[in-house]
Amino acid sequence: MARTTTGRLAAALLAAGLVLAGCGGSGGDGGADGPDEITFLNILPMESLGYAAEMVADTNGHFAEHGLDVNFEATQGSAPAIQTLLAGSAEISRIGDIETMVAAGERGAPLVAIGSVVHRGPIRMISAERAPVTEAADFAGKLVGTPSEGGTSSITLDLVAGSAGIPAEDVRRQVVGLSPGVFELVQAGRVDAFIVSLDTAMVLDATRPEAVVYDPNDAISAGSQVYATSAAMLDDPAEKDKLRRYLAAIADATRFITEDEANGFAETMRLIGSAYQVPALADPQVATAALSAYVESYNAGDGPTGISPQRWQATYDEIAGIGQLPAGLDPADWLDGSVAAAEATP
C-alpha cells in the first residue's frame, strides 16, 4: 500500500478506496532532521466523523506542530489492529475499551491503554416508534440486529441487558448490516432493534422521524474508545515521546472542534472536506448533529485525552460481571496515564 502526502489524499481515496495519509512539515518536537514518523491504525474507514479529531489534527497542522508525520493505515477491525501493534509494526490505534480489556485481561496480550478522546461510547441502538426501546429493561425478549456474531456490539448489548438484570440469553441476536437501510427490517417487524454507529444514528434521526435512538451510555460505563499501544512501545523513551506528542496534537484538535461549535462547525467541516471524502458532510444537518455529539464525548472525560481510573475500573467490573473477563484482576495493569498526563508539555 503506497504512502501518500495529504495533498494526494483525495486522489488516493478515489483510486484505492483506502486511507494511508501523511502529514509533513518541520517544526514542533521533530528535531533538526524533520518530523518523526508514527503510524496510526484506523479500524474503520477514515471517512467517518468518528475520526474528526484525527482529520483536523492533520489538516489544521496540529500533528506537524508537534513534529509528527502521521501515516493512517486502515485495518479490518480491532483484532488485526491489536495484532499489528503487538508485532511492533505500528505505534498506536484507537479501539474499544472492551476489546482492549479482553485482549489484555483474558488473553494476556501486552496491550496498554494510554488515553482516550471518545469518552462516551459511539454505539447506538435503533428501534421504531411502533415498539420503542428507550431503556435497558426494554431489551428483554427482543430480537436485536448486530453487525457480526460476538464482538464489541454483542458484548455491549449483553452489558446493557445486564444493567437491567436481563440474562444475555434473553436477548436474541441476528446478524444484519450497518447501513441506514436496515431500518426497514425494524419497520417490517423482522427485528426489534439494530446496532449502528453514531454517524448512522444521526442520519436516521434526521431522515426517519419514526426511528428511536437509544444511547447505551445511559446504562453502562463501558463503550468508550481508547488509544492503545504495546508495552514494548512504552518501554522505548523515543517511541513514548512520539505517543505523547500524538495525544497532544489530538488534544489541540478537539479543543479546536469544540470552539468551532459556536460557528456551526463551519471551519471544522471545511478542513475535513479539504482532504477527506466524508459522506456525512453532504448533509450539514447530520454533520452538525454528529459533531455536536462527538464534542460532548470529547469533553466527558478526564482531561482532553485522559482516562479516568475510576471509569476504567467500573468498565472492568461491568465486563467481568457478565463473564467476559475473569474476576479479581487489576485493570490498572492495562492502563498508563503518564502519556496523556504529559500532553500539555511544550
Side-chain angles (χ1 to χ4, degrees), residues 19 40 42 44-49 51 54-55 72 276 278:
V19 177
F40 173 82
N42 47 292
L44 297 170
M46 284 293 290
E47 304 93 323
S48 163
L49 292 178
Y51 289 116
E54 269 75 18
M55 292 186 285
F72 295 134
Y276 297 87
V278 178

Side-chain angles (χ1 to χ4, degrees), residues 1-290:
M1 189 184 312
R3 180 175 176 273
T4 72
T5 63
T6 300
R8 300 191 188 100
L9 180 57
L13 284 170
L14 291 171
L18 297 173
V19 177
L20 186 54
C23 319
S26 59
D29 306 69
D33 294 331
D36 294 317
E37 289 195 10
I38 186 170
T39 296
F40 173 82
L41 303 173
N42 47 292
I43 64 172
L44 297 170
M46 284 293 290
E47 304 93 323
S48 163
L49 292 178
Y51 289 116
E54 269 75 18
M55 292 186 285
V56 168
D58 172 11
T59 56
N60 206 33
H62 300 298
F63 285 138
E65 288 169 3
H66 288 278
L68 294 176
D69 181 0
V70 180
N71 301 320
F72 295 134
E73 185 172 329
T75 69
Q76 297 298 315
S78 300
I82 291 171
Q83 292 169 2
T84 303
L85 290 176
L86 297 179
S89 301
E91 288 89 345
I92 187 169
S93 184
R94 174 145 56 91
I95 58 181
D97 53 7
I98 295 171
E99 297 103 311
T100 303
M101 288 194 179
V102 169
E106 177 69 23
R107 304 181 189 128
L111 190 70
V112 184
I114 58 172
S116 180
V117 64
V118 180
H119 299 286
R120 289 175 58 83
I123 286 177
R124 298 294 184 268
M125 298 168 181
I126 307 297
S127 59
E129 286 184 343
R130 63 171 187 80
V133 173
T134 60
E135 59 183 25
D138 292 338
F139 283 100
K142 293 292 193 294
L143 174 60
V144 179
T146 62
S148 63
E149 294 184 6
T152 298
S153 295
S154 188
I155 294 175
T156 300
L157 183 57
D158 291 344
L159 290 168
V160 171
S163 74
I166 302 168
E169 58 269 23
D170 286 358
V171 184
R172 295 170 295 140
R173 326 292 164 99
Q174 178 176 317
V175 176
V176 299
L178 285 167
S179 71
V182 177
F183 185 64
E184 300 304 329
L185 298 179
V186 179
Q187 284 289 73
R190 294 175 60 186
V191 295
D192 296 302
F194 74 113
I195 298 174
V196 299
S197 67
L198 177 58
D199 286 27
T200 300
M202 294 299 100
V203 170
L204 287 166
D205 193 49
T207 61
R208 301 297 295 264
E210 66 274 32
V212 176
V213 180
Y214 174 76
D215 184 351
N217 295 287
D218 293 340
I220 61 175
S221 295
S224 67
Q225 293 185 342
V226 300
Y227 288 107
T229 190
S230 68
M233 288 292 172
L234 291 176
D235 287 340
D236 184 326
E239 294 294 346
K240 185 172 183 178
D241 179 62
K242 288 195 296 183
L243 294 168
R244 173 191 67 80
R245 286 184 275 140
Y246 188 97
L247 293 187
I250 291 298
D252 291 343
T254 58
R255 280 189 286 266
F256 178 91
I257 297 169
T258 298
E259 292 170 2
D260 195 35
E261 185 171 20
N263 302 315
F265 300 111
E267 187 63 9
T268 297
M269 293 186 203
R270 185 194 69 78
L271 286 166
I272 292 173
S274 71
Y276 297 87
Q277 296 180 340
V278 178
L281 295 183
D283 187 331
Q285 179 184 355
V286 170
T288 299

